[in-house]
Structures are given as C-alpha cells and as structure tokens.
Amino acid sequence: MTQRSRSLLSLATRPLRERRPGAAAPRSTRALALAGLTLGLAGTLFALPAAAQAITDPPPPAPLQTPQQASESAIDKLVAAGKYNDALAKIDEHLKQYPRDAQVRFTRGRVLMEMGRNAEAIDAFTALTQDFPELPEPFNNLAALYAQAGEYDKARAALESAIRNNPSFAVAYANLGDIYAKLAQQAYQKSLRLAPTARVSNREKILSNMLAPQRIAPVSQTPSPAKADDAALKNVGKSGN
C-alpha cells in the first residue's frame, strides 16, 4: 500500500465530527444566532397584541336610560332652557304614556306657574294631592298659588297638610309663618276699621313692612316617582282602597 493510499484510508475512517471541524462550527453558530433572532421576534410579536389591547380598549359605555327616563331628561332640558311651550307639549305627550309619573306631573304644574296660567296650575297640583296625598311638595306649591290669589285660609290648610306629610319640610314651616303673619295683618286691618287704636295700628304697620316684599315660596324640586309609588303601595287596602 502506498503512502497516498494509507492517507486516503485514514481520512475515510475518521469520525464524522473530526472530518471538517472548521466548517461545522460556523454552521452551528449561524443556526443558534438565527434561532435566537426568531425567538426574539416571536417574543415581540406576542407582546404586541397586549400593548395594542391596552391602547385601543374603548371607554365603558354610558348607563342606558329607559324610554321613560329619556323622555324625562328631554323635558328637564326644555324647562331649564325656558322653552315652556315646548316643554308643556312634551309633558302632555309623556303623560299619555306614563299617567302615574308624579315627577313629570309636578313639573307640569311648575311650568304652568312660570307661564302665568295659575288656575291650570292649581288644578294640576290639586290633582297631585289627590292622587299622591303623601307628597308635601304639591301642597306647598298649591299654597303659593292660593297666597298669590289672596286666599290665605286655603294656603294655610295646604301648608298644614304638607307639614303633616313631612314634619321636616322646612320650606313649608317658613311659608306657614308668612301666612299666619298675613292673616294677622288682615285681622288688624279689620280691627282698625271697626275701632282704630294706636296699638293695633302700630302692629299692622310692622306686619305691613315685614310682608310687603314677601311672597310664599314655591319649590322647584320634583317629588321622587319611586317614593310616590312606594307610598301608594303602602296605602293599598286602607280606607277602602
């Protein structure tokens, strides 16, 4: 066997890992580098949806209103804007569908007062006191209307009903005080016509000065429909209901 044959045989019988050490190492290095790049890219791709989700989340939806609540809101906006004719038309439309809506019925009375239609407002508040006698606010506003008309006895009776229904209703107490003062003034004036005295005259003047700029204050806060309904339910079965 020649020297060249022994060299070829020796090369052929070497283990594979010893044949081309210089070529195998670069291939492995490139493979590992490529794998690392792929994993890094995969990590980036998997991170993107989470980041995108945090950015594009929509805000929570606004609370949904029932058709009745949406109608009430529209009425309140018209009243706040002073569009009383439009508000009254919207109220009448609303009450055809929700005739037991105490809040909107109360608002109707207030709108009629603002429009100077006091006789209609008295009818509106009177009907409320009959259908929802537990609510003090309609009685108070009814008293304000009676006082404007000079019917102080009716105003006093209405305010006393308001206080019976809600003993903590401060506005009604203040208004009742004004009514009593007005009734006292009328009594002093009648006394002076019958038998004038300095004592009665002085007191009448004091009351006149005190009450001249005064008027019975209505309330603008509407009663709660839930409160009205609850009270109505409590009265079922009583007094022949």
Side-chain angles (χ1 to χ4, degrees):
M1 180 180 294
T2 64
Q3 182 66 31
R4 184 165 178 248
S5 299
R6 283 196 299 270
S7 297
L8 290 173
L9 179 60
S10 174
L11 180 61
T13 57
R14 287 179 187 174
L16 183 60
R17 62 178 180 274
E18 296 179 5
R19 289 183 185 177
R20 299 180 60 188
R27 187 180 299 117
S28 299
T29 302
R30 286 196 300 272
L32 289 173
L34 181 60
L37 179 62
T38 304
L39 287 173
L41 181 59
T44 303
L45 290 175
F46 278 109
L48 279 176
Q53 183 71 16
I55 294 172
T56 60
D57 268 349
L64 296 177
Q65 287 186 318
T66 65
Q68 181 174 354
Q69 290 171 333
S71 179
E72 290 171 350
S73 296
I75 290 168
D76 290 341
K77 289 178 181 178
L78 290 171
V79 173
K83 299 179 179 180
Y84 298 127
N85 286 317
D86 293 339
L88 194 58
K90 180 68 176 174
I91 286 169
D92 290 340
E93 178 186 341
H94 176 95
L95 291 177
K96 288 179 182 178
Q97 190 170 2
Y98 309 104
R100 294 284 296 176
D101 192 329
Q103 180 174 349
V104 172
R105 288 175 61 179
F106 185 88
T107 301
R108 184 175 185 273
R110 288 200 299 115
V111 168
L112 290 169
M113 289 179 71
E114 294 291 344
M115 298 174 73
R117 295 162 61 173
N118 287 359
E120 294 175 75
I122 287 175
D123 290 341
F125 288 124
T126 298
L128 264 177
T129 63
Q130 293 169 349
D131 293 341
F132 303 96
E134 70 282 353
L135 296 176
E137 294 89 350
F139 284 106
N140 182 83
N141 284 15
L142 196 55
L145 290 165
Y146 284 141
Q148 288 181 35
E151 299 184 69
Y152 299 112
D153 284 325
K154 289 184 177 180
R156 175 184 54 76
L159 289 169
E160 288 174 349
S161 295
I163 291 170
R164 279 196 300 272
N165 293 337
N166 183 359
S168 300
F169 195 19
V171 172
Y173 284 104
N175 287 339
L176 185 58
D178 290 339
I179 290 296
Y180 282 141
K182 196 67 180 178
L183 288 170
Q185 182 189 32
Q186 288 182 336
Y188 287 139
Q189 289 172 345
K190 187 173 183 178
S191 176
L192 288 172
R193 287 193 297 269
L194 295 173
T197 64
R199 170 181 171 274
V200 173
S201 178
N202 289 336
R203 292 190 177 186
E204 194 280 332
K205 287 179 182 178
I206 292 172
L207 285 175
S208 294
N209 292 333
M210 182 181 70
L211 296 174
Q214 300 291 330
R215 57 173 294 187
I216 300 301
V219 291
S220 59
Q221 183 177 1
T222 55
S224 166
K227 177 183 176 183
D229 290 342
D230 290 344
L233 288 174
K234 291 178 182 178
N235 289 330
V236 172
K238 297 181 180 178
S239 303
N241 290 339

